[in-house]
Amino acid sequence: MTLQEYDYARESPSKLAASCLLLALTMKNLGGWTPTLEYYSGYSAQDLHPLVKRLNFLLTYQPHDKLNAVRSKYSHRVFFEVAKVTPMDMLKLEETLTSS
């Protein structure tokens, strides 16, 4: 989704990937940003928090009239139905990020 949004073009691909991973871990309650992830990514959780919040906002307020082919494709079991995952509540995300 970020490939279609000009605002994300200035973000480094590694930081964007790390932020997506942190958001996914948080959304699925699979733990937080571990020292191993920090070491290999080069980013601390605090470095990623602003971008994680922006990504969740993008998921929450995505226009449903665009990108229907992409949404349809990623709604299938083959892709683990990731397009159907409900974004986190912004306040709950903030609370989860600051507590870790």
Side-chain angles (χ1 to χ4, degrees):
M1 290 183 66
T2 59
L3 291 174
Q4 312 271 334
E5 300 291 330
Y6 186 74
D7 292 342
Y8 294 92
R10 62 186 159 93
E11 298 294 344
S12 76
S14 62
K15 188 172 187 178
L16 190 58
S19 297
C20 288
L21 177 58
L22 179 55
L23 179 58
L25 290 171
T26 306
M27 289 172 78
K28 292 296 203 171
N29 291 321
L30 295 174
W33 202 244
T34 65
T36 303
L37 289 170
E38 183 174 340
Y39 176 80
Y40 284 107
S41 71
Y43 298 106
S44 71
Q46 285 71 30
D47 295 338
L48 303 175
H49 287 179
L51 187 51
V52 168
K53 292 177 204 173
R54 286 179 47 216
L55 289 167
N56 191 63
F57 185 84
L58 177 65
L59 289 174
T60 304
Y61 297 105
Q62 60 183 308
H64 290 286
D65 58 335
K66 297 180 182 178
L67 307 175
N68 287 327
V70 173
R71 189 172 293 105
S72 175
K73 176 180 178 177
Y74 288 98
S75 293
H76 292 284
R77 284 184 56 203
V78 174
F79 296 104
F80 304 101
E81 300 178 334
V82 295
K84 295 180 181 179
V85 174
T86 306
M88 289 192 71
D89 176 71
M90 297 301 276
L91 292 175
K92 183 176 180 184
L93 177 63
E94 176 74 32
E95 187 177 291
T96 304
L97 290 175
T98 55
S99 69
S100 56

